[in-house]
Each structure stands twice: as C-alpha cells, then as structure tokens.
Amino acid sequence: MGLTQLNVWLDAIFTTLYPVIVLALMGHFLGNILTGRAKRRFGKEWAWPHHDSHPPALPKFLHFTHVACMFVLGGTGLFIRFNPISRETMQWLHYVAMIIVTVNLVWRLWYAFASRQRDYREFAITKQDIVTAPKVILYYIFVKPSKPHLGKYNVMQKGTYTLFVPLLIIQAITGFMLWRLQFPIIDTSLQQVFAGLIGATGIWLVRTIHYIINWLFIILTTVHVYLSVTEDFPAFLDFFGLGMFDKRSAEKHHGDDHGHGHDDGHAHEPATAYASAEHA
Amino acid sequence: MVRLHEGIVAAIVAVVVVAVPAVTLGLAAAPSAPTAQAGAAEAATTATAAPKPLPKPVSAAATASAAATRTYDLDFTLPTAGKSGCLVCHGDPNLAKIGVETTSSIYVDVAQLQKSAHAEGTPCTGCHLDFAYTSPHKQIEGGDDWAAAAKLACKNCHKDAFSAYANGMHSPAGKPGQTPDETVKARVAAGKPANVPLCGDCHGGHVIPSMDDTPAMTAQHLTGYDMCGTCHIEAAASYSDYYHGAAYRRGSLDAPSCWDCHGYHEILAVDDRRSPVHPSRLAETCGQAGCHDNVDEQFLEYAELVHGHDALRDANPVFSLTRDTIGRAVETLRSLL
C-alpha cells in the first residue's frame, strides 16, 4: 500500500472508528444507568469519591489551558485536513494553540520533576498497579462494583496520562516540522528547512504521523472527558474552577452559614461503594 | 433613464439599444429607426428560423475591418479616442440588450473599468475593433463576431502571451493545411467544443485586474473553478484532494489554482512532454517556489490523489461499507416514517 492509499485508509479508519467509540461510550453510560451507578451519582445521593485534598492552582491552570488548546488543536487539525472552510484562520489558531500546549508541556514536566511539589510519582505505574489492572478493567465493564485504590490515579489513568507525554512530544516535533509560516528576513519556514533535510516524502510521512496522533488525542480526550464526568463529576468541576456547583460544597456552605445540621450527613462521607474509587 | 425603442420592441427584435444620449446629442430618431428595425428583424429571423450554423473560426476575428474614424450611419460623431464617448450610453446601468430569449445588460461599470489594468491608455476601440457606430451597433460589412473580436483583441498588445496561447491546446488554429471551417468541423467531430476559449473568456473584459492590484489578483487566484471548470467540468469536479482541491475550493490562498500546475496561455495536453503535468515534469512542477521542497520520485505518487481522491475513496471498502450502511439506515427510517 502506497502513501496515497494510506491517506485514504487513515480517513476511512478514523472517521469510522470515532463514531463507534462515541457509540460505545453511550453504551457504557447505559450500563451506568442499568446498574444504578448513574442514579447514585447524579441523583439525590450524589455519591462520588471523596478527596482529602483539592488539586493545587498551578496544575489546575495548566490542565485548563491544556484542555482548551487540545480542543482547538483537534478541531482545527481536522479543519486543516478536510477543509470545510478556508484553512488560513485554522492554521493560525492551530499554531497559537500548539505554542501554548508546548509551553504547557514544558511547564508541567518541570512541575512534575523539578519543582518543590514534584508529583511525578503519582503517575508512575507500580508493580501493584499491574497486578490490580484486571480488577480495574472489570470495574469499568460493570463486572465488579468497585476498583482497587492504590493512589491518586488508577493504572489506566496512569497509563493514559503517561502516554500523553511522548505523544505530545512527537506531536510538537512533527507540528513544528510542518510549520508553514515564513520567517521574516531569512524568508523561509521550518517546513522548508526540514524538507531540505528529509525531502518532500519525509514531510509527507511527518504529516501522516501528525494526523494519526491528532486522531489518537481526539479519541483519548473524548474518553477522558466522558470518564471524568461519569466517574468523578465533582473533581471534574473542581478542575475547572466550578467547585461551587458540587452539591456537597453547597451543603457545606449552607451548614457553615446557618449552623444547621445535616439530615443527609453521608454527603460528606466517602461514598460507601466507591470510597476507594478515584475519578477516571 | 433608458427609453426602449418602441419599434424594436413591437417587432420582437433581437437587439435593442436605446440611447439617452441620442436626445442629449440632438440625434434625430427617425433616420435610425429603419436601420435598427431591419437589423433586429434580421437577427430575429436568424435566431428563430435558420438552423444554427457552426461558429465561425475566430482566427480572423480580431482584425479590424473598419477604421475607428469611418463615416457613421448616424448623424453624430462620438469621441472615440477616449472612453467617454462609448460610456455616454454604456455607463448607464439600465442599458440592456433584449434578445429573443434573453435580456442582457450591456452596461459597463466605469468604477470597475477605472480600477482595471486598462484604465489608462486603452480606448474602448482598442479592443472593440469591429464597430460601426450606428444605433444599435450593427456588424459592419465584412466584420466578424464582435464579441470574439473583442475577446481576441488582446493579441495586438500582448504578443508573447498570444504566441504562447496559439501554441497550446486552446489555440483556434487548426492543423496545417486545414481551412478554418474544417478546423471547427474537426473539433466538433472529435467531441470537443466548437469554440476555443479566447483571451476574454478566461480573463474577462472590462475588469481585468492590474498585476499590481494585489486584492484583485488574489481574488482571481480563486476563480479556477469558474475560469477553467466551466469547460473542464470533470477535471474541476475531481479536483478535491485534501491539500489542493478541497482547500482551493474553500478559498485557501496557499492552495494551487488550475494554472499553477497546468500552466497558462500555453496549455498543453497531459501526454505532451512539454506540459508541466506530464509525468516527466511533475517533480519540477510540484517543486516550484512556494509549493513542495526537495521533491523526490516517491513523492510524485501523491499526484494520483490530486484528481483521483474521490475515486480512491469510493473504491475504499470501509468507506463503501459505511456509506451503504448509513444509506440503508436512512432508507429504513424513511420507510418507517
């Protein structure tokens, strides 16, 4: 199969696969409804995992800008590929977002490995994670009612977030190799420079890799958003500075302000069935 | 502003040109009426009764058959050296030509004309060579199709461009030894349009932008689907791959127009070794400034996709399956509703 056919096959695979994944997530939510998880979480019981601490401001800020830029990058990436409108504006948005994401990535890696808080251990997959991985999977497919709690993130989260790093690095490198804006004075672009090194076919391969990873990010982000909302909605709200919409938070304020006791005291307790469950 | 000539309308004429300036210039209406009616009646007869003849070859169309200063049938003289004379009538937005089946404006937008490349130094008669200044303008005897004459008049100044054009596929010239009529018949017999595109068919008439007019040239860059696609319908429809056709169709300025690959003026067949899209020249064409750098042989494989994207996609089993499945689902839903 030549690169020409590969181009068409990639579109065929990903434009078919993505709706299938969305349908699968809809099916999964149906599972949440049928097993009663959705009612316990989104209903009166508001039974979500309890967290002892809130995410610090900097990771929250980085996460927020990262999410916003990833949506822009995914959307504009597809716009550039399929050209539903003129692509000049899309390219500009794409370039701006990619710079922010690259800066974010460096900042987050510094935070994880070199800052005072250095939280990289929270993402490290341990031997115990691997041993308990089947149980986590069984929980997500509704075979088990809870999943083992080993740390802030479960093994699937750790795997996904760790995978994001090399994917982001590859995407940043390939993205800069495709940078078409002409630099002033030297009157050339990064794409032209790299085309001189690896040839037009090399740039074509780079574009193909960039396109595949773009789809991987779109798929992984979709799954991440779905699981964040359905598995730990309060944490999802908290990460976007919307913690005031967490019912537990509202009740806490209500109690603090008026000194009333709680009829529904368990809202402050760890959710019984999911006391050990972190958001996905 | 324009008063349609009553006699012409009553006779269902082919051409009506009513001139307000006729009054302003003190033109007597009576002498012009018979001329106009006769001309119109003749045109109407031709349009309704006579079988449509093959178009005349255009090779001789741009030759002026009358001096611009010839004696007019009408008793007035327009200042033909400048544009003001013609624009006395043609600057009127309501000026129209009423045909048997269609009515078309023959208004010339002065503002656009002033912005065009020919705003200065080119009088109307520089391009409209074959006019008798009667009202309405009749073909002067021995003249040819006035529109073709105007569209091909560019050759009188743009000699290099015309030479290149005459060497290409769009040239009206036939094979050596062929008469012009034989050339037209041969073209029709080969399934080609009888008429070849003349300069004006691609470049337009009164609004040809100056090369210095960047916005206008930018706008022209995006006119390929209209300029070439009007005749090359299949080629335009199949120009739909990701980074070229699809982007171009949506107005991306960095996407190539037809002539960026196929060349211009000297348009050659794909199998002509001199053509920029001949396989032997593709590396050079794809590697031209502003396009792809360091083009190698493997890269040229992509050329298949430029006009073949839709066909390749249709041949893809996953796409076919998805399309068929969605099609069946839609049909089922329709039948249920």
Side-chain angles (χ1 to χ4, degrees):
Chain A
M1 180 168 61
L3 284 171
T4 308
Q5 272 79 17
L6 179 64
N7 250 309
V8 177
W9 267 107
L10 287 175
D11 287 345
I13 290 166
F14 284 118
T15 55
T16 306
L17 182 61
Y18 189 72
V20 168
I21 286 172
V22 171
L23 283 173
L25 294 179
M26 289 164 73
H28 190 267
F29 191 70
L30 186 65
N32 273 332
I33 294 170
L34 294 175
T35 56
R37 285 184 188 179
K39 190 180 177 185
R40 282 197 297 276
R41 292 169 181 173
F42 291 100
K44 282 185 181 174
E45 202 174 331
W46 200 249
W48 298 101
H50 176 73
H51 302 284
D52 293 330
S53 61
H54 293 280
L58 182 59
K60 271 166 76 171
F61 168 75
L62 293 175
H63 180 262
F64 177 78
T65 51
H66 180 77
V67 168
C69 289
M70 289 303 276
F71 273 105
V72 171
L73 285 167
T76 55
L78 292 184
F79 267 73
I80 292 167
R81 169 74 165 193
F82 294 108
N83 297 290
I85 59 168
S86 176
R87 65 184 171 195
E88 274 81 13
T89 311
M90 294 298 118
Q91 281 173 332
W92 272 103
L93 280 171
H94 203 76
Y95 293 150
V96 170
M98 78 182 279
I99 288 171
I100 296 172
V101 163
T102 308
V103 171
N104 252 5
L105 174 65
V106 174
W107 201 349
R108 190 63 181 86
L109 288 175
W110 168 83
Y111 184 86
F113 292 101
S115 72
R116 202 152 48 87
Q117 290 80 5
R118 54 175 80 88
D119 63 352
Y120 68 92
R121 284 192 185 85
E122 290 177 0
F123 301 94
I125 296 175
T126 62
K127 194 177 172 185
Q128 213 173 356
D129 278 323
I130 295 166
V131 172
T132 56
K135 288 179 181 171
V136 175
I137 294 167
L138 289 173
Y139 162 77
Y140 280 122
I141 59 172
F142 305 106
V143 175
K144 283 192 171 292
S146 66
K147 58 181 182 287
H149 178 63
L150 300 175
K152 191 172 180 181
Y153 304 114
N154 68 50
V155 63
M156 288 176 70
Q157 287 175 284
K158 286 178 178 178
T160 308
Y161 302 159
T162 306
L163 180 66
F164 274 4
V165 176
L167 286 182
L168 276 170
I169 292 171
I170 296 169
Q171 198 70 336
I173 292 170
T174 53
F176 280 110
M177 289 173 81
L178 297 171
W179 185 280
R180 287 174 65 91
L181 286 182
Q182 296 288 116
F183 292 112
I185 304 170
I186 55 173
D187 196 30
T188 189
S189 66
L190 281 173
Q191 190 186 61
Q192 285 173 296
V193 171
F194 284 106
L197 293 171
I198 61 174
T201 308
I203 291 291
W204 189 3
L205 278 168
V206 166
R207 178 178 281 117
T208 304
I209 292 166
H210 195 78
Y211 179 61
I212 292 169
I213 296 179
N214 188 41
W215 268 115
L216 290 180
F217 272 124
I218 289 170
I219 290 167
L220 288 174
T221 305
T222 304
V223 175
H224 174 64
V225 169
Y226 166 76
L227 289 176
S228 298
V229 171
T230 57
E231 294 295 320
D232 198 347
F233 189 52
F236 174 85
L237 291 173
D238 194 13
F239 251 98
F240 290 96
L242 301 169
M244 71 288 268
F245 294 111
D246 180 1
K247 283 184 187 175
R248 292 175 301 192
S249 168
E251 283 171 12
K252 184 173 181 294
H253 285 299
H254 182 75
D256 291 346
D257 293 345
H258 304 287
H260 293 163
H262 288 280
D263 295 335
D264 186 17
H266 75 269
H268 283 291
E269 300 296 326
T272 316
Y274 308 104
S276 59
E278 287 288 347
H279 81 90
Chain B
M1 290 293 290
V2 171
R3 295 177 307 161
L4 294 178
H5 201 294
E6 290 178 6
I8 295 168
V9 174
I12 316 174
V13 294
V15 178
V16 175
V17 177
V18 178
V20 169
V23 176
T24 59
L25 292 168
L27 176 65
S32 67
T35 310
Q37 281 181 334
E42 182 186 326
T45 307
T46 306
T48 52
K52 198 172 182 180
L54 286 173
K56 289 194 173 183
V58 295
S59 52
T63 306
S65 52
T69 53
R70 77 186 285 274
T71 308
Y72 307 126
D73 291 342
L74 298 179
D75 188 17
F76 70 98
T77 302
L78 290 173
T80 56
K83 296 186 178 75
S84 58
C86 307
L87 292 172
V88 168
C89 295
H90 286 277
D92 185 335
N94 294 318
L95 193 65
K97 183 171 70 176
I98 298 176
V100 175
E101 293 175 350
T102 58
T103 300
S104 51
S105 172
I106 45 174
Y107 159 64
V108 177
D109 187 333
V110 181
Q112 280 191 330
L113 189 63
Q114 290 302 327
K115 281 194 292 185
S116 79
H118 299 123
E120 301 292 334
T122 310
C124 304
T125 50
C127 302
H128 296 285
L129 304 164
D130 261 349
F131 271 83
Y133 293 92
T134 56
S135 177
H137 306 302
K138 236 174 44 166
Q139 292 295 146
I140 56 172
E141 199 174 336
D144 217 319
D145 177 2
W146 71 266
K151 287 176 182 175
L152 206 54
C154 316
K155 73 173 188 179
N156 296 322
C157 297
H158 303 278
K159 295 185 193 311
D160 290 344
F162 182 77
S163 294
Y165 161 80
N167 287 333
M169 292 286 287
H170 290 159
S171 170
K175 289 178 180 172
Q178 245 178 5
T179 65
D181 283 338
E182 285 171 344
T183 301
V184 171
K185 282 177 185 167
R187 288 183 66 82
V188 173
K192 295 176 180 174
N195 283 328
V196 291
L198 309 178
C199 312
D201 288 319
C202 299
H203 291 280
H206 302 116
V207 294
I208 295 171
S210 162
M211 298 286 274
D212 300 329
D213 186 350
T214 307
M217 292 305 290
T218 302
Q220 182 169 290
H221 172 79
L222 298 172
T223 59
Y225 277 107
D226 295 327
M227 196 185 287
C228 308
T230 307
C231 297
H232 300 279
I233 297 163
E234 279 182 27
S238 66
Y239 183 43
S240 59
D241 72 312
Y242 310 104
Y243 307 109
H244 300 92
Y248 182 72
R249 195 186 294 269
R250 307 295 180 199
S252 293
L253 298 175
D254 60 348
S257 55
C258 312
W259 48 88
D260 286 327
C261 300
H262 292 272
Y264 52 91
H265 294 154
E266 191 175 358
I267 308 291
L268 298 165
V270 177
D271 56 5
D272 188 320
R273 290 185 67 83
R274 296 169 299 157
S275 166
V277 288
H278 185 271
S280 65
R281 288 194 61 198
L282 270 181
E284 181 190 337
T285 303
C286 301
Q288 63 184 297
C291 296
H292 303 281
D293 300 283
N294 208 359
V295 171
D296 51 31
E297 201 167 313
Q298 195 185 356
F299 180 76
L300 300 178
E301 184 196 322
Y302 188 88
E304 180 193 0
L305 213 56
V306 174
H307 281 282
H309 173 259
D310 289 349
L312 271 172
R313 198 186 55 186
D314 290 344
N316 185 286
V318 174
F319 266 123
S320 307
L321 181 68
T322 308
R323 191 181 50 213
D324 294 347
T325 307
I326 292 171
R328 274 197 294 272
V330 169
E331 275 178 27
T332 309
L333 276 173
R334 274 186 186 158
S335 63
L336 288 173
L337 294 170

